[in-house]
Each structure stands twice: as structure tokens, then as C-alpha cells.
Amino acid sequence: MAARGAAQGAIEPLVDLLEHDDDDVRHNAVWALSFLADSKPWCKCIINRKAVPILVQMLRSDNNSAMQEYAAEIFYHFSYIDGSLDYERDAVECGIIPNLVTLLQDENARDLSKVYAMRGLSDVCNDTQAFKSKFLLCEGGVE
């Protein structure tokens, strides 16, 4: 029980560090959160700390590939929690779909990153299908 409380106490400062000016600090914060996101209760804490918009931005191709992969992994873990938090709509509104599509199209991205991206894309497109399918088409994800 103490470990759970310690991890929950770590989430808020780690989410804050995602916006740090230093790339190494941001890299380490997203790496640590990717480990914590392997637990459903901690995923919920990450979402509740409003990390979704920051993580969506980390998926952008101008970030280093390790940060992209860790951010994609966190969204992969989010896909296994129940839908009560409705993070998907926030993620779509922040631009997750074009970022995931770009990651999938990146020839230099690792296969594991693409697996995470596929799962994340599948999850955000699963809810309110008509809205998200239209958005996906508009973003060039389907030819």
C-alpha cells in the first residue's frame, strides 16, 4: 500500500516535468510515467493530472524517438482502462490522430513504437466512431 501511495505522489511532479525546458528531464519524466502507466490506477492518476495534451505533443515527429515511444506506450496502457475517464476525446481534440499516423508512417520508428501507435489509434477511434473516422480521414490517415 505504501508503494501505491508513493507512486501516486510521484505522478504529479512527473507530469509537471513533461513541460520542462530540458529534453533530458522531459525524457526521464515520460520514461518514468511509462512504467507507472502499466498499472490501471496509476493510468487514471496520469489522466486526472491532465497529462493527455502534453503526451499528445510528445508524439510529434520533432521530438526524439525515445520520447515518442514512451508517450505512445502510455497511450497503449490507457487503452486497457475502463472508459469512465473519457480521455479519448481530449486526446483527439489535442491532435493525437495525426501524431499517431505520422509515427506509423515514420520509416525510422521502431516496430514497438508502431505497435503502441496502432493500439492507441484503435482505442481513440473506437469511441464515437463517426466523429473520429471523419477526423482520421481529414488528417490523411486513410488513403
Side-chain angles (χ1 to χ4, degrees), residues 14 27-37 46 70 74:
L14 287 170
H27 174 270
N28 288 328
V30 73
W31 173 78
L33 285 169
S34 74
F35 280 99
L36 293 173
I46 294 167
Y70 295 137
I74 292 169

Side-chain angles (χ1 to χ4, degrees), residues 83-137:
S84 64
L85 294 173
D86 195 29
Y87 82 92
E88 296 96 341
R89 183 165 301 282
D90 289 341
V92 169
E93 289 173 2
C94 294
I96 194 171
I97 292 174
N99 290 348
L100 289 173
V101 169
T102 299
L103 182 57
L104 285 169
Q105 294 172 338
D106 184 351
E107 294 177 7
N108 297 317
R110 291 177 0 126
D111 288 343
L112 186 57
S113 295
K114 292 182 180 193
V115 168
Y116 292 148
M118 282 296 294
R119 176 62 187 191
L121 197 55
S122 170
D123 193 49
V124 297
C125 290
N126 190 34
D127 189 35
T128 59
Q129 187 64 40
F131 168 75
K132 292 179 182 171
S133 293
K134 180 179 178 187
F135 192 85
L136 181 62
L137 288 168

Side-chain angles (χ1 to χ4, degrees), residues 15 26 35 48 58 73 75 86 138:
V15 170
R26 289 194 346 258
F35 280 99
N48 288 334
M58 293 186 112
E73 180 182 2
F75 282 108
D86 195 29
C138 292

Side-chain angles (χ1 to χ4, degrees), residues 8-13 15-16 33 42-54:
Q8 285 179 321
I11 289 172
E12 185 172 0
V15 170
D16 290 343
L33 285 169
W42 297 338
C43 275
K44 292 177 181 182
C45 288
I46 294 167
I47 292 168
N48 288 334
R49 294 291 179 214
K50 308 297 183 201
V52 170
I54 304 164

